[in-house]
Amino acid sequence: MDNFGYLKSIKKASKVVGRTWPLYSFVTSNPLSGYEQANFAKAINSAENLIGGNVFPSARNFKKACYNGEIDKEILTSLLIKQGFTDSIKSYLDRLQAIHPISQINVHHKLDHIVAKWLATFMDEGLAEWEMPHKEKGFYQSWRGLAIYDNEIGIAKIDDLPTNREAALSHIMAGFTEAETESIFEYHLAALPGWTGYIKLREENNTIWQQTYPISLLDYLAVRFCIAQAINIPLIPLKTTDSRECEVKDLQYLFLKAWEQTWQTSLLRKLKLNGITTNSREKTKTDAQLVFCIDTRSELIRRHVEASGNYETFGYAGFFGIAMDYTNLEDGLSRKSCPPIVGSAYQVSELSQENKTGELTVFHKRAKRDSFKNYFLTRMKNMLPSAFGYVEGAGVFYGFSLLSRTLFPAKDYNPERNNELAYEHSCSPKLNTISPASDFQDDIPLEEKVGIVKSAFDLTGWNEFAPLVVFAGHGSHTSNNPFGSSLDCGACAASPGRHNARMLAKLANLPEVRKVLNDQHGLSITPDTIFMGAEHNTTTDEIVLFDSQIPASHGAHLQSLKANLKRAQESAARERIGVASNGINAAHKKANNWAETRPEWGLAKNAGFIVAPRSLTQDVNLEGNCFLHSYNWELDAEGKALEGIMQGPMVVTQWINNHYYFATVDNEQYGGGSKITHNVTGRHGVVRGNGGDLKIGLPLQSVNATDDDLYHKPLRLSVLIQAPEERIQDILERNDNLKSLLDNEWIYLLIMDPTQDNAIIHYKKDMKWNRPNFKANTDKVSYISSV
């Protein structure tokens, strides 16, 4: 097979691994994204056979769900009977309980160990003080020059190795058929899915590290196969995995479906009790409107904000419709701040506000001082000559510091000081277009500015405006947390969303933008309406308003809003953390405690995505289970807004949901394992202990309440959309990728049709629909007829 054929085989084989995101932009994504064109049950069984691990919840968790009423007996019995299982539920639980975890002997452990060692050395991103030589030549060439010094491999001289990666692969793979080649590639890519997933991401995103020190899956396979040949390990190992009988897998899948359908039934009952027969509630003029990310953590704070005053809230994807990269003043680095599936069209930087250059100068001096201090301390800790002396000399200082942060973490946390020093209060964001040549234009056309703002109003179904309108991005603030970026905004590529929020507010405040929206698009944004950006701190529930440019005319509104948001923070923190009083203090303690393994729960407990007006879910405690995207079908006659929501946010929430699912059913294989044994490697990932594969998912403490008890329930995403059935059917017929996700059962879709008295309609398969036994005006909700 020629080299082009090998490249094609590598690309096809690479579907077995997902993308491993670095710690500094840890985006939750489906680790089995390459399998999404296959049926969910078949896909996860294929992954189980190749990668290993468990792909269904454990029998213990199924049993607990049955005991707690999370799996409805009637629904489960109906599912079992229709598949020919007529014994008692208890008998099937006992049978599942008797199934032992899949045992797998890694016959390539030595090979994995050696390859992982070299990958960690080459892919280091600035943590190591001594860099691997000649990295700029690429992984294979850099490794080839040093391989003779690795006694574990035993290569005598460099001439024993092929001169380039293509020659290495051609020599070693000679004689294998195309089918055999692809199978071998799949096996060896899946052997270290964390490392190969990160190589895959670097190749596809062409990061700055990839441009400087290139590595590819071709490099990886060439190096791995050369090492295997040198230590006499065959490329095709004997299979040692115990396969499970199909009947057991069928039972596991039926228990999972019953759990999911029970959750759907519970959701519909809650909404029914809230009165879903009305399309909208009587609206009154509000004092302020706040737009939050669709993030499940926003569901809690939105309830408490609405209860604190005369306020209206909306849900919108947290990048606020601006496909941008953002240059941070603190470190000068430009990072993506929009969904990974969206190409960045804009570059946002900061300009000093009028008459505030002095404040910006103070910020720059502080940032420069802090940067040098951090650099100096890091070098002192990491450099071999100084490490031991530095630790000995600084031990007393660090001892007192750790003691203080351990005993009094809440007092050490000072959000007021941090907010006062934030450059957002003295700067204003500036939006530039990224040209094909990667240069920046000074400004963007008016029509694009109008389009960004109008899109926000269209997608949320919003056309009446309060005196204050707040776009609240979200970010997490925690201490000693390598996975901290996973708690930031996924829609902003694991960056905080406040930069996008401030940018949208600035565009919406421009007089020329308002004039076009009012004159040409029928909106009525009066001069009395002022837009501003904000950040919702998801660890403390604080909402920081970037209000430095709010006119004095809105001072009373602003002060009232701030006071009410403080009350909302206190009540939301108490509910989230489970304390009777002093919720803010408890939240500060979690945020600043260097030993806290669960500073916040992130997107754990996600199970549903609701696309509807707020009136459908207002006053309902959804317990942080749902993403909430505002949508008004009556203002979207052509269905373009809904199509955008389904193509973008719905797909992203499915990624998030699958990420949490797999990290929960097998945390060692598809998650991060326990934080207790984590070691950061190369600044971009963690490994267990002193080496091995990169961990690909969330740590145990992010999905489990204890080592054995779940916090996140591993359920596939259920999407509920309030819109006419015909409109959604048209969208699916135009978008095969969405239809595929539904047909292959990666997502459930439920429709609440307002033109049919809000009848519930359940997507089945192949554009066929079911109408379960649910009526808005009855007391009984049943999903049995939809099975």
Side-chain angles (χ1 to χ4, degrees), residues 118-146 165 198 202 208-216 219 682-684:
W118 281 101
L119 287 170
T121 304
F122 180 87
M123 297 181 75
D124 175 80
E125 296 182 2
L127 183 63
E129 286 294 325
W130 292 343
E131 192 175 87
M132 181 177 176
H134 309 301
K135 288 170 60 175
E136 69 281 354
K137 295 180 180 179
F139 181 49
Y140 180 81
Q141 291 297 340
S142 181
W143 169 80
R144 182 175 180 269
L146 298 172
R165 59 189 184 176
Y198 193 41
R202 276 184 43 162
I208 186 64
W209 287 99
Q210 179 68 8
Q211 295 171 36
T212 309
Y213 307 120
I215 183 172
S216 66
D219 281 300
R683 285 187 178 160
H684 57 75

Side-chain angles (χ1 to χ4, degrees), residues 106-121 150-153 191-192 195 220 224 227 231 233 688 690-693:
N106 183 5
V107 295
H108 280 165
H109 173 74
K110 182 179 180 181
L111 177 61
D112 289 345
H113 162 74
I114 297 173
V115 173
K117 174 184 66 178
W118 281 101
L119 287 170
T121 304
D150 188 340
N151 293 331
E152 289 186 283
I153 302 176
L192 293 171
W195 284 114
Y220 163 81
R224 183 179 177 91
I227 294 173
I231 61 177
I233 290 183
R688 296 285 303 278
N690 65 350
D693 196 17

Side-chain angles (χ1 to χ4, degrees), residues 153-223:
I153 302 176
I155 295 174
K157 56 184 184 298
I158 192 172
D159 290 341
D160 291 341
L161 293 169
T163 56
N164 58 62
R165 59 189 184 176
E166 290 83 4
L169 211 60
S170 297
H171 170 70
I172 294 173
M173 298 304 296
F176 290 108
T177 67
E178 185 174 346
E180 289 172 335
T181 296
E182 187 175 328
S183 178
I184 291 170
F185 287 173
E186 282 186 347
Y187 176 86
H188 287 277
L189 290 174
L192 293 171
W195 284 114
T196 55
Y198 193 41
I199 296 171
K200 184 177 180 180
L201 180 133
R202 276 184 43 162
E203 277 194 278
E204 293 178 358
N205 289 9
N206 195 29
T207 66
I208 186 64
W209 287 99
Q210 179 68 8
Q211 295 171 36
T212 309
Y213 307 120
I215 183 172
S216 66
L217 294 177
L218 173 58
D219 281 300
Y220 163 81
L221 290 171
V223 169

Side-chain angles (χ1 to χ4, degrees), residues 591-746:
N592 200 50
N593 189 346
W594 68 278
E596 175 60 67
T597 57
R598 297 177 178 88
E600 62 153 285
W601 284 106
L603 293 150
K605 295 174 68 175
N606 77 81
F609 179 33
I610 299 177
V611 183
R614 179 56 170 160
S615 58
L616 180 67
T617 55
Q618 198 164 5
D619 303 325
V620 180
N621 185 349
L622 295 171
E623 300 175 6
N625 292 157
C626 295
F627 302 93
L628 299 177
H629 199 301
S630 297
Y631 175 71
N632 188 333
W633 68 275
E634 293 176 300
L635 300 180
D636 183 34
E638 297 180 6
K640 290 183 179 179
L642 180 58
E643 187 167 8
I645 294 170
M646 294 176 69
Q647 288 175 326
M650 187 178 83
V651 173
V652 172
T653 53
Q654 175 248 324
W655 285 1
I656 294 169
N657 173 266
N658 286 153
H659 194 102
Y660 273 85
Y661 174 92
F662 289 109
T664 302
V665 296
D666 194 326
N667 193 254
E668 287 297 328
Q669 184 65 52
Y670 298 104
S674 176
K675 287 183 175 183
I676 295 171
T677 56
H678 281 178
N679 274 319
V680 174
T681 183
R683 285 187 178 160
H684 57 75
V686 296
V687 294
R688 296 285 303 278
N690 65 350
D693 196 17
L694 277 185
K695 305 309 292 184
I696 65 174
L698 296 160
L700 180 73
Q701 289 80 5
S702 292
V703 293
N704 272 28
T706 68
D707 285 353
D708 299 317
D709 296 319
L710 300 182
Y711 181 81
H712 175 75
K713 303 299 189 295
L715 309 175
R716 284 171 292 175
L717 188 71
S718 296
V719 178
L720 173 64
I721 302 174
Q722 188 184 44
E725 175 186 1
E726 183 179 356
R727 182 176 301 175
I728 295 175
Q729 186 145 339
D730 288 343
I731 291 171
L732 293 178
E733 288 174 348
R734 291 195 300 270
N735 293 273
D736 288 339
N737 64 315
L738 301 181
K739 183 174 175 292
S740 176
L741 287 174
L742 296 172
D743 287 343
N744 289 322
E745 297 185 311
W746 292 88

Side-chain angles (χ1 to χ4, degrees), residues 241-377:
T241 303
D242 295 332
S243 60
R244 288 175 175 162
E245 55 187 294
C246 293
E247 191 174 86
V248 169
K249 293 182 178 179
D250 289 343
L251 280 172
Q252 291 173 314
Y253 195 50
L254 292 174
F255 272 83
L256 175 63
K257 292 189 77 168
W259 198 347
E260 292 162 338
Q261 291 185 9
T262 303
W263 185 87
Q264 293 168 4
T265 299
S266 174
L267 172 66
L268 292 174
R269 182 179 292 115
K270 284 183 178 181
L271 298 181
K272 182 262 175 183
L273 293 174
N274 193 42
I276 64 172
T277 54
T278 57
N279 287 336
S280 61
R281 302 182 178 191
E282 183 178 348
K283 293 186 67 174
T284 59
K285 185 72 173 178
T286 56
D287 294 330
Q289 294 163 317
L290 297 95
V291 186
F292 291 89
C293 182
I294 62 174
D295 190 289
T296 56
R297 289 166 290 184
S298 299
E299 186 268 328
L300 172 102
I301 195 65
R302 287 177 66 181
R303 278 190 287 110
H304 288 270
V305 167
E306 290 165 347
S308 70
N310 182 25
Y311 304 130
E312 184 178 18
T313 71
F314 296 84
Y316 186 37
F319 74 113
F320 292 99
I322 307 178
M324 60 184 251
D325 292 342
Y326 177 77
T327 302
N328 194 309
L329 275 186
E330 292 181 346
D331 54 21
L333 297 178
S334 179
R335 294 183 176 88
K336 193 175 182 65
S337 192
C338 62
I341 60 174
V342 175
S344 299
Y346 304 106
Q347 177 72 41
V348 173
S349 54
E350 298 286 351
L351 292 177
S352 175
Q353 295 176 18
E354 189 176 354
N355 300 323
K356 292 196 175 181
T357 54
E359 294 181 23
L360 190 57
T361 300
V362 172
F363 168 82
H364 278 305
K365 288 181 178 178
R366 181 177 64 88
K368 188 175 182 179
R369 183 180 65 249
D370 290 347
S371 177
F372 175 76
K373 181 182 71 175
N374 293 334
Y375 170 79
F376 177 77
L377 294 179

Side-chain angles (χ1 to χ4, degrees), residues 394-409 412 592 594:
V396 174
F397 168 77
Y398 274 104
F400 280 115
S401 175
L402 292 179
L403 186 64
S404 172
R405 294 179 63 186
T406 302
L407 299 179
F408 313 107
D412 247 11
N592 200 50
W594 68 278

Side-chain angles (χ1 to χ4, degrees), residues 22 57 272 500 509 549 588 606 673 770:
K272 182 262 175 183
N500 300 65
N509 280 327
Q549 294 180 293
H588 287 179
N606 77 81
N770 262 338

